[in-house]
Amino acid sequence: MPAVAARGSRRRTISEINMVPFIDVMLVLLIIFMVTAPLITTGVIDLPTVGKAKKAPEHVIEIVVVNDEALKMRVDGKDEQPIVLKNLAARVKQVQAGNAETPVVISADKAVKYESVVKVMDTLQRAGVQRVGLSVKSSGG
């Protein structure tokens, strides 16, 4: 008989997780976030706008990225010449003739991949061309 009594007095370990403290903590955090969310002020972001330049530069080099990713170079708005990407940096430096203040403007159509425009920008940056910009089309209004 004593063996039976000893077997019944053993304690069984509880293998379940008590979820009540976890739920209490989550509800407290939810209340804290609900109270503090309206108090947080949202930041104001100033986005750049396209304005009109005071004076157009006299000497402008324009790189036109065509739909088939071919490049054309236009100097001062005239004589558009086809050019290869590997010769672009040397040709721009030649047209700049030592004047690093001569701006280079990159123009591309909507259908041109962004990657090809970035390749042109990267090529010019690696060559040390300082004033590189993108041509924008302003909407009428």
Side-chain angles (χ1 to χ4, degrees):
M1 275 300 194
V4 174
R7 198 171 10 150
S9 66
R10 279 191 187 170
R11 286 188 157 179
R12 210 177 243 192
T13 58
I14 300 173
S15 61
E16 297 176 5
I17 297 174
N18 190 3
M19 293 296 291
V20 175
F22 176 72
I23 294 171
D24 289 343
V25 170
M26 294 307 291
L27 288 174
V28 168
L29 289 175
L30 179 66
I31 291 171
I32 290 172
F33 284 123
M34 287 173 59
V35 170
T36 59
L39 302 177
I40 297 173
T41 58
T42 57
V44 178
I45 300 173
D46 293 327
L47 296 175
T49 58
V50 177
K52 299 204 178 225
K54 296 176 184 172
K55 179 184 157 194
E58 299 171 7
H59 190 58
V60 177
I61 302 169
E62 185 176 4
I63 309 297
V64 182
V65 184
V66 192
N67 196 7
D68 59 352
E69 298 183 14
L71 300 175
K72 293 183 180 180
M73 178 184 248
R74 187 183 303 154
V75 180
D76 297 331
K78 48 191 158 189
D79 67 337
E80 198 170 273
Q81 305 166 350
I83 191 166
V84 184
L85 184 64
K86 66 179 183 176
N87 299 336
L88 178 66
R91 182 74 177 119
V92 167
K93 287 285 195 180
Q94 179 185 4
V95 172
Q96 278 185 335
N99 185 7
E101 291 298 314
T102 304
V104 179
V105 178
I106 301 171
S107 300
D109 190 45
K110 283 184 189 178
V112 174
K113 292 181 184 176
Y114 184 69
E115 179 183 1
S116 58
V117 176
V118 171
K119 281 181 187 176
V120 172
M121 290 175 69
D122 184 50
T123 303
L124 293 173
Q125 181 184 19
R126 289 178 189 262
V129 178
Q130 294 180 3
R131 293 187 65 190
V132 177
L134 295 174
S135 174
V136 293
K137 183 186 235 182
S138 59
S139 60

PDB file of all heavy atoms in Angstrom, residues 18-51:
ATOM      1  N   ASN A  18       1.608  30.548 -19.446  1.00  0.00           N
ATOM      2  CA  ASN A  18       0.549  31.423 -18.944  1.00  0.00           C
ATOM      3  C   ASN A  18       0.526  32.686 -19.801  1.00  0.00           C
ATOM      4  O   ASN A  18       1.481  33.465 -19.811  1.00  0.00           O
ATOM      5  CB  ASN A  18       0.805  31.764 -17.475  1.00  0.00           C
ATOM      6  CG  ASN A  18      -0.371  32.454 -16.844  1.00  0.00           C
ATOM      7  OD1 ASN A  18      -1.412  32.643 -17.485  1.00  0.00           O
ATOM      8  ND2 ASN A  18      -0.215  32.811 -15.577  1.00  0.00           N
ATOM      9  N   MET A  19      -0.552  32.909 -20.535  1.00  0.00           N
ATOM     10  CA  MET A  19      -0.642  34.019 -21.489  1.00  0.00           C
ATOM     11  C   MET A  19      -1.164  35.306 -20.857  1.00  0.00           C
ATOM     12  O   MET A  19      -1.092  36.362 -21.469  1.00  0.00           O
ATOM     13  CB  MET A  19      -1.565  33.625 -22.654  1.00  0.00           C
ATOM     14  CG  MET A  19      -1.009  32.514 -23.528  1.00  0.00           C
ATOM     15  SD  MET A  19       0.483  32.964 -24.377  1.00  0.00           S
ATOM     16  CE  MET A  19      -0.129  34.163 -25.524  1.00  0.00           C
ATOM     17  N   VAL A  20      -1.667  35.278 -19.672  1.00  0.00           N
ATOM     18  CA  VAL A  20      -2.276  36.452 -19.054  1.00  0.00           C
ATOM     19  C   VAL A  20      -1.281  37.603 -18.872  1.00  0.00           C
ATOM     20  O   VAL A  20      -1.591  38.742 -19.242  1.00  0.00           O
ATOM     21  CB  VAL A  20      -2.967  36.067 -17.724  1.00  0.00           C
ATOM     22  CG1 VAL A  20      -3.503  37.297 -17.008  1.00  0.00           C
ATOM     23  CG2 VAL A  20      -4.085  35.074 -17.985  1.00  0.00           C
ATOM     24  N   PRO A  21      -0.070  37.372 -18.342  1.00  0.00           N
ATOM     25  CA  PRO A  21       0.873  38.497 -18.224  1.00  0.00           C
ATOM     26  C   PRO A  21       1.268  39.078 -19.588  1.00  0.00           C
ATOM     27  O   PRO A  21       1.413  40.295 -19.731  1.00  0.00           O
ATOM     28  CB  PRO A  21       2.087  37.893 -17.522  1.00  0.00           C
ATOM     29  CG  PRO A  21       1.593  36.666 -16.864  1.00  0.00           C
ATOM     30  CD  PRO A  21       0.455  36.168 -17.685  1.00  0.00           C
ATOM     31  N   PHE A  22       1.407  38.228 -20.580  1.00  0.00           N
ATOM     32  CA  PHE A  22       1.745  38.692 -21.929  1.00  0.00           C
ATOM     33  C   PHE A  22       0.639  39.597 -22.473  1.00  0.00           C
ATOM     34  O   PHE A  22       0.899  40.662 -23.029  1.00  0.00           O
ATOM     35  CB  PHE A  22       1.968  37.480 -22.837  1.00  0.00           C
ATOM     36  CG  PHE A  22       2.237  37.829 -24.264  1.00  0.00           C
ATOM     37  CD1 PHE A  22       3.446  38.399 -24.645  1.00  0.00           C
ATOM     38  CD2 PHE A  22       1.284  37.602 -25.249  1.00  0.00           C
ATOM     39  CE1 PHE A  22       3.688  38.732 -25.972  1.00  0.00           C
ATOM     40  CE2 PHE A  22       1.521  37.931 -26.567  1.00  0.00           C
ATOM     41  CZ  PHE A  22       2.728  38.501 -26.936  1.00  0.00           C
ATOM     42  N   ILE A  23      -0.608  39.191 -22.300  1.00  0.00           N
ATOM     43  CA  ILE A  23      -1.737  39.992 -22.783  1.00  0.00           C
ATOM     44  C   ILE A  23      -1.821  41.312 -22.019  1.00  0.00           C
ATOM     45  O   ILE A  23      -2.081  42.368 -22.606  1.00  0.00           O
ATOM     46  CB  ILE A  23      -3.048  39.187 -22.652  1.00  0.00           C
ATOM     47  CG1 ILE A  23      -2.995  37.984 -23.607  1.00  0.00           C
ATOM     48  CG2 ILE A  23      -4.262  40.051 -22.936  1.00  0.00           C
ATOM     49  CD1 ILE A  23      -4.130  37.005 -23.416  1.00  0.00           C
ATOM     50  N   ASP A  24      -1.543  41.293 -20.739  1.00  0.00           N
ATOM     51  CA  ASP A  24      -1.564  42.529 -19.943  1.00  0.00           C
ATOM     52  C   ASP A  24      -0.512  43.519 -20.443  1.00  0.00           C
ATOM     53  O   ASP A  24      -0.787  44.709 -20.583  1.00  0.00           O
ATOM     54  CB  ASP A  24      -1.313  42.216 -18.461  1.00  0.00           C
ATOM     55  CG  ASP A  24      -2.493  41.505 -17.807  1.00  0.00           C
ATOM     56  OD1 ASP A  24      -3.596  41.555 -18.406  1.00  0.00           O
ATOM     57  OD2 ASP A  24      -2.299  40.925 -16.728  1.00  0.00           O
ATOM     58  N   VAL A  25       0.684  43.031 -20.698  1.00  0.00           N
ATOM     59  CA  VAL A  25       1.753  43.899 -21.197  1.00  0.00           C
ATOM     60  C   VAL A  25       1.383  44.466 -22.566  1.00  0.00           C
ATOM     61  O   VAL A  25       1.577  45.656 -22.839  1.00  0.00           O
ATOM     62  CB  VAL A  25       3.090  43.130 -21.259  1.00  0.00           C
ATOM     63  CG1 VAL A  25       4.146  43.928 -22.006  1.00  0.00           C
ATOM     64  CG2 VAL A  25       3.572  42.806 -19.856  1.00  0.00           C
ATOM     65  N   MET A  26       0.833  43.667 -23.450  1.00  0.00           N
ATOM     66  CA  MET A  26       0.456  44.142 -24.783  1.00  0.00           C
ATOM     67  C   MET A  26      -0.647  45.196 -24.702  1.00  0.00           C
ATOM     68  O   MET A  26      -0.639  46.173 -25.443  1.00  0.00           O
ATOM     69  CB  MET A  26       0.016  42.968 -25.665  1.00  0.00           C
ATOM     70  CG  MET A  26       1.137  41.989 -25.976  1.00  0.00           C
ATOM     71  SD  MET A  26       2.611  42.770 -26.657  1.00  0.00           S
ATOM     72  CE  MET A  26       2.016  43.273 -28.231  1.00  0.00           C
ATOM     73  N   LEU A  27      -1.616  45.018 -23.808  1.00  0.00           N
ATOM     74  CA  LEU A  27      -2.681  46.017 -23.654  1.00  0.00           C
ATOM     75  C   LEU A  27      -2.139  47.333 -23.105  1.00  0.00           C
ATOM     76  O   LEU A  27      -2.564  48.414 -23.528  1.00  0.00           O
ATOM     77  CB  LEU A  27      -3.795  45.471 -22.759  1.00  0.00           C
ATOM     78  CG  LEU A  27      -4.673  44.387 -23.391  1.00  0.00           C
ATOM     79  CD1 LEU A  27      -5.649  43.821 -22.377  1.00  0.00           C
ATOM     80  CD2 LEU A  27      -5.413  44.943 -24.587  1.00  0.00           C
ATOM     81  N   VAL A  28      -1.211  47.269 -22.177  1.00  0.00           N
ATOM     82  CA  VAL A  28      -0.596  48.496 -21.652  1.00  0.00           C
ATOM     83  C   VAL A  28       0.159  49.221 -22.761  1.00  0.00           C
ATOM     84  O   VAL A  28       0.061  50.445 -22.923  1.00  0.00           O
ATOM     85  CB  VAL A  28       0.324  48.176 -20.451  1.00  0.00           C
ATOM     86  CG1 VAL A  28       1.180  49.375 -20.080  1.00  0.00           C
ATOM     87  CG2 VAL A  28      -0.501  47.731 -19.256  1.00  0.00           C
ATOM     88  N   LEU A  29       0.930  48.481 -23.577  1.00  0.00           N
ATOM     89  CA  LEU A  29       1.646  49.105 -24.693  1.00  0.00           C
ATOM     90  C   LEU A  29       0.683  49.709 -25.708  1.00  0.00           C
ATOM     91  O   LEU A  29       0.918  50.802 -26.241  1.00  0.00           O
ATOM     92  CB  LEU A  29       2.562  48.080 -25.375  1.00  0.00           C
ATOM     93  CG  LEU A  29       3.794  47.653 -24.589  1.00  0.00           C
ATOM     94  CD1 LEU A  29       4.530  46.542 -25.327  1.00  0.00           C
ATOM     95  CD2 LEU A  29       4.708  48.839 -24.373  1.00  0.00           C
ATOM     96  N   LEU A  30      -0.414  49.022 -25.976  1.00  0.00           N
ATOM     97  CA  LEU A  30      -1.417  49.544 -26.906  1.00  0.00           C
ATOM     98  C   LEU A  30      -1.998  50.855 -26.393  1.00  0.00           C
ATOM     99  O   LEU A  30      -2.136  51.825 -27.146  1.00  0.00           O
ATOM    100  CB  LEU A  30      -2.526  48.508 -27.109  1.00  0.00           C
ATOM    101  CG  LEU A  30      -3.666  48.932 -28.037  1.00  0.00           C
ATOM    102  CD1 LEU A  30      -3.145  49.094 -29.452  1.00  0.00           C
ATOM    103  CD2 LEU A  30      -4.790  47.936 -27.984  1.00  0.00           C
ATOM    104  N   ILE A  31      -2.300  50.926 -25.124  1.00  0.00           N
ATOM    105  CA  ILE A  31      -2.844  52.159 -24.542  1.00  0.00           C
ATOM    106  C   ILE A  31      -1.817  53.286 -24.613  1.00  0.00           C
ATOM    107  O   ILE A  31      -2.158  54.429 -24.945  1.00  0.00           O
ATOM    108  CB  ILE A  31      -3.310  51.903 -23.091  1.00  0.00           C
ATOM    109  CG1 ILE A  31      -4.532  50.993 -23.102  1.00  0.00           C
ATOM    110  CG2 ILE A  31      -3.611  53.207 -22.370  1.00  0.00           C
ATOM    111  CD1 ILE A  31      -4.941  50.492 -21.742  1.00  0.00           C
ATOM    112  N   ILE A  32      -0.553  52.979 -24.340  1.00  0.00           N
ATOM    113  CA  ILE A  32       0.506  54.000 -24.412  1.00  0.00           C
ATOM    114  C   ILE A  32       0.611  54.549 -25.826  1.00  0.00           C
ATOM    115  O   ILE A  32       0.671  55.770 -26.037  1.00  0.00           O
ATOM    116  CB  ILE A  32       1.849  53.426 -23.920  1.00  0.00           C
ATOM    117  CG1 ILE A  32       1.786  53.186 -22.413  1.00  0.00           C
ATOM    118  CG2 ILE A  32       2.997  54.353 -24.279  1.00  0.00           C
ATOM    119  CD1 ILE A  32       2.979  52.446 -21.858  1.00  0.00           C
ATOM    120  N   PHE A  33       0.608  53.676 -26.821  1.00  0.00           N
ATOM    121  CA  PHE A  33       0.706  54.142 -28.215  1.00  0.00           C
ATOM    122  C   PHE A  33      -0.533  54.926 -28.638  1.00  0.00           C
ATOM    123  O   PHE A  33      -0.437  55.903 -29.367  1.00  0.00           O
ATOM    124  CB  PHE A  33       0.955  52.971 -29.159  1.00  0.00           C
ATOM    125  CG  PHE A  33       2.363  52.471 -29.120  1.00  0.00           C
ATOM    126  CD1 PHE A  33       2.622  51.144 -28.817  1.00  0.00           C
ATOM    127  CD2 PHE A  33       3.429  53.312 -29.378  1.00  0.00           C
ATOM    128  CE1 PHE A  33       3.923  50.667 -28.779  1.00  0.00           C
ATOM    129  CE2 PHE A  33       4.727  52.851 -29.334  1.00  0.00           C
ATOM    130  CZ  PHE A  33       4.980  51.533 -29.032  1.00  0.00           C
ATOM    131  N   MET A  34      -1.695  54.506 -28.180  1.00  0.00           N
ATOM    132  CA  MET A  34      -2.921  55.216 -28.540  1.00  0.00           C
ATOM    133  C   MET A  34      -2.955  56.616 -27.930  1.00  0.00           C
ATOM    134  O   MET A  34      -3.463  57.557 -28.526  1.00  0.00           O
ATOM    135  CB  MET A  34      -4.148  54.420 -28.094  1.00  0.00           C
ATOM    136  CG  MET A  34      -4.408  53.195 -28.941  1.00  0.00           C
ATOM    137  SD  MET A  34      -5.733  52.161 -28.311  1.00  0.00           S
ATOM    138  CE  MET A  34      -7.090  53.280 -28.312  1.00  0.00           C
ATOM    139  N   VAL A  35      -2.392  56.781 -26.750  1.00  0.00           N
ATOM    140  CA  VAL A  35      -2.376  58.088 -26.099  1.00  0.00           C
ATOM    141  C   VAL A  35      -1.325  59.000 -26.710  1.00  0.00           C
ATOM    142  O   VAL A  35      -1.548  60.194 -26.917  1.00  0.00           O
ATOM    143  CB  VAL A  35      -2.158  57.923 -24.576  1.00  0.00           C
ATOM    144  CG1 VAL A  35      -1.888  59.258 -23.909  1.00  0.00           C
ATOM    145  CG2 VAL A  35      -3.362  57.252 -23.957  1.00  0.00           C
ATOM    146  N   THR A  36      -0.156  58.451 -27.029  1.00  0.00           N
ATOM    147  CA  THR A  36       0.939  59.300 -27.520  1.00  0.00           C
ATOM    148  C   THR A  36       0.863  59.582 -29.015  1.00  0.00           C
ATOM    149  O   THR A  36       1.456  60.561 -29.469  1.00  0.00           O
ATOM    150  CB  THR A  36       2.301  58.655 -27.208  1.00  0.00           C
ATOM    151  OG1 THR A  36       2.366  57.368 -27.818  1.00  0.00           O
ATOM    152  CG2 THR A  36       2.535  58.555 -25.721  1.00  0.00           C
ATOM    153  N   ALA A  37       0.169  58.772 -29.798  1.00  0.00           N
ATOM    154  CA  ALA A  37       0.125  58.977 -31.257  1.00  0.00           C
ATOM    155  C   ALA A  37      -0.443  60.341 -31.648  1.00  0.00           C
ATOM    156  O   ALA A  37       0.123  61.013 -32.514  1.00  0.00           O
ATOM    157  CB  ALA A  37      -0.645  57.843 -31.925  1.00  0.00           C
ATOM    158  N   PRO A  38      -1.528  60.819 -31.069  1.00  0.00           N
ATOM    159  CA  PRO A  38      -2.022  62.149 -31.467  1.00  0.00           C
ATOM    160  C   PRO A  38      -1.104  63.291 -31.029  1.00  0.00           C
ATOM    161  O   PRO A  38      -1.171  64.389 -31.580  1.00  0.00           O
ATOM    162  CB  PRO A  38      -3.373  62.267 -30.757  1.00  0.00           C
ATOM    163  CG  PRO A  38      -3.759  60.896 -30.373  1.00  0.00           C
ATOM    164  CD  PRO A  38      -2.501  60.133 -30.206  1.00  0.00           C
ATOM    165  N   LEU A  39      -0.250  63.052 -30.061  1.00  0.00           N
ATOM    166  CA  LEU A  39       0.624  64.108 -29.563  1.00  0.00           C
ATOM    167  C   LEU A  39       1.863  64.314 -30.427  1.00  0.00           C
ATOM    168  O   LEU A  39       2.519  65.350 -30.325  1.00  0.00           O
ATOM    169  CB  LEU A  39       1.057  63.787 -28.124  1.00  0.00           C
ATOM    170  CG  LEU A  39      -0.076  63.607 -27.109  1.00  0.00           C
ATOM    171  CD1 LEU A  39       0.489  63.217 -25.761  1.00  0.00           C
ATOM    172  CD2 LEU A  39      -0.897  64.876 -27.013  1.00  0.00           C
ATOM    173  N   ILE A  40       2.191  63.336 -31.250  1.00  0.00           N
ATOM    174  CA  ILE A  40       3.385  63.431 -32.081  1.00  0.00           C
ATOM    175  C   ILE A  40       3.095  64.366 -33.247  1.00  0.00           C
ATOM    176  O   ILE A  40       2.123  64.207 -33.972  1.00  0.00           O
ATOM    177  CB  ILE A  40       3.803  62.041 -32.603  1.00  0.00           C
ATOM    178  CG1 ILE A  40       4.164  61.135 -31.433  1.00  0.00           C
ATOM    179  CG2 ILE A  40       4.970  62.158 -33.573  1.00  0.00           C
ATOM    180  CD1 ILE A  40       4.431  59.700 -31.844  1.00  0.00           C
ATOM    181  N   THR A  41       3.962  65.354 -33.429  1.00  0.00           N
ATOM    182  CA  THR A  41       3.779  66.296 -34.544  1.00  0.00           C
ATOM    183  C   THR A  41       4.460  65.733 -35.785  1.00  0.00           C
ATOM    184  O   THR A  41       5.558  65.176 -35.710  1.00  0.00           O
ATOM    185  CB  THR A  41       4.380  67.664 -34.206  1.00  0.00           C
ATOM    186  OG1 THR A  41       5.772  67.491 -33.916  1.00  0.00           O
ATOM    187  CG2 THR A  41       3.689  68.287 -33.019  1.00  0.00           C
ATOM    188  N   THR A  42       3.796  65.908 -36.897  1.00  0.00           N
ATOM    189  CA  THR A  42       4.377  65.433 -38.155  1.00  0.00           C
ATOM    190  C   THR A  42       5.327  66.483 -38.702  1.00  0.00           C
ATOM    191  O   THR A  42       5.057  67.683 -38.620  1.00  0.00           O
ATOM    192  CB  THR A  42       3.281  65.139 -39.186  1.00  0.00           C
ATOM    193  OG1 THR A  42       2.515  66.318 -39.387  1.00  0.00           O
ATOM    194  CG2 THR A  42       2.368  64.023 -38.706  1.00  0.00           C
ATOM    195  N   GLY A  43       6.424  66.035 -39.282  1.00  0.00           N
ATOM    196  CA  GLY A  43       7.406  66.951 -39.856  1.00  0.00           C
ATOM    197  C   GLY A  43       6.970  67.442 -41.219  1.00  0.00           C
ATOM    198  O   GLY A  43       6.222  66.797 -41.935  1.00  0.00           O
ATOM    199  N   VAL A  44       7.458  68.608 -41.572  1.00  0.00           N
ATOM    200  CA  VAL A  44       7.152  69.192 -42.870  1.00  0.00           C
ATOM    201  C   VAL A  44       8.374  69.004 -43.764  1.00  0.00           C
ATOM    202  O   VAL A  44       9.501  69.318 -43.374  1.00  0.00           O
ATOM    203  CB  VAL A  44       6.829  70.696 -42.728  1.00  0.00           C
ATOM    204  CG1 VAL A  44       6.564  71.315 -44.079  1.00  0.00           C
ATOM    205  CG2 VAL A  44       5.636  70.879 -41.812  1.00  0.00           C
ATOM    206  N   ILE A  45       8.143  68.470 -44.947  1.00  0.00           N
ATOM    207  CA  ILE A  45       9.231  68.234 -45.893  1.00  0.00           C
ATOM    208  C   ILE A  45       9.153  69.270 -46.987  1.00  0.00           C
ATOM    209  O   ILE A  45       8.106  69.440 -47.623  1.00  0.00           O
ATOM    210  CB  ILE A  45       9.130  66.817 -46.492  1.00  0.00           C
ATOM    211  CG1 ILE A  45       9.220  65.774 -45.387  1.00  0.00           C
ATOM    212  CG2 ILE A  45      10.229  66.593 -47.521  1.00  0.00           C
ATOM    213  CD1 ILE A  45       8.954  64.372 -45.857  1.00  0.00           C
ATOM    214  N   ASP A  46      10.232  69.975 -47.197  1.00  0.00           N
ATOM    215  CA  ASP A  46      10.292  70.954 -48.273  1.00  0.00           C
ATOM    216  C   ASP A  46      10.842  70.277 -49.513  1.00  0.00           C
ATOM    217  O   ASP A  46      12.029  69.950 -49.581  1.00  0.00           O
ATOM    218  CB  ASP A  46      11.195  72.128 -47.883  1.00  0.00           C
ATOM    219  CG  ASP A  46      10.596  72.925 -46.742  1.00  0.00           C
ATOM    220  OD1 ASP A  46       9.359  73.014 -46.671  1.00  0.00           O
ATOM    221  OD2 ASP A  46      11.373  73.456 -45.921  1.00  0.00           O
ATOM    222  N   LEU A  47       9.979  70.064 -50.502  1.00  0.00           N
ATOM    223  CA  LEU A  47      10.399  69.434 -51.744  1.00  0.00           C
ATOM    224  C   LEU A  47      10.951  70.485 -52.693  1.00  0.00           C
ATOM    225  O   LEU A  47      10.471  71.618 -52.729  1.00  0.00           O
ATOM    226  CB  LEU A  47       9.216  68.713 -52.390  1.00  0.00           C
ATOM    227  CG  LEU A  47       8.649  67.549 -51.580  1.00  0.00           C
ATOM    228  CD1 LEU A  47       7.409  67.003 -52.265  1.00  0.00           C
ATOM    229  CD2 LEU A  47       9.680  66.468 -51.432  1.00  0.00           C
ATOM    230  N   PRO A  48      11.952  70.122 -53.480  1.00  0.00           N
ATOM    231  CA  PRO A  48      12.492  71.100 -54.422  1.00  0.00           C
ATOM    232  C   PRO A  48      11.505  71.374 -55.543  1.00  0.00           C
ATOM    233  O   PRO A  48      10.743  70.511 -55.955  1.00  0.00           O
ATOM    234  CB  PRO A  48      13.762  70.413 -54.955  1.00  0.00           C
ATOM    235  CG  PRO A  48      13.522  68.970 -54.741  1.00  0.00           C
ATOM    236  CD  PRO A  48      12.654  68.851 -53.519  1.00  0.00           C
ATOM    237  N   THR A  49      11.528  72.596 -56.010  1.00  0.00           N
ATOM    238  CA  THR A  49      10.673  72.982 -57.119  1.00  0.00           C
ATOM    239  C   THR A  49      11.536  73.463 -58.270  1.00  0.00           C
ATOM    240  O   THR A  49      12.673  73.892 -58.075  1.00  0.00           O
ATOM    241  CB  THR A  49       9.706  74.106 -56.716  1.00  0.00           C
ATOM    242  OG1 THR A  49      10.473  75.218 -56.257  1.00  0.00           O
ATOM    243  CG2 THR A  49       8.758  73.657 -55.625  1.00  0.00           C
ATOM    244  N   VAL A  50      10.978  73.391 -59.448  1.00  0.00           N
ATOM    245  CA  VAL A  50      11.704  73.836 -60.630  1.00  0.00           C
ATOM    246  C   VAL A  50      11.356  75.294 -60.859  1.00  0.00           C
ATOM    247  O   VAL A  50      10.197  75.651 -61.020  1.00  0.00           O
ATOM    248  CB  VAL A  50      11.309  72.987 -61.855  1.00  0.00           C
ATOM    249  CG1 VAL A  50      12.013  73.494 -63.092  1.00  0.00           C
ATOM    250  CG2 VAL A  50      11.636  71.537 -61.608  1.00  0.00           C
ATOM    251  N   GLY A  51      12.356  76.118 -60.851  1.00  0.00           N
ATOM    252  CA  GLY A  51      12.140  77.543 -61.081  1.00  0.00           C
ATOM    253  C   GLY A  51      12.835  77.985 -62.349  1.00  0.00           C
ATOM    254  O   GLY A  51      13.519  77.213 -63.017  1.00  0.00           O
TER     255      GLY A  51
END
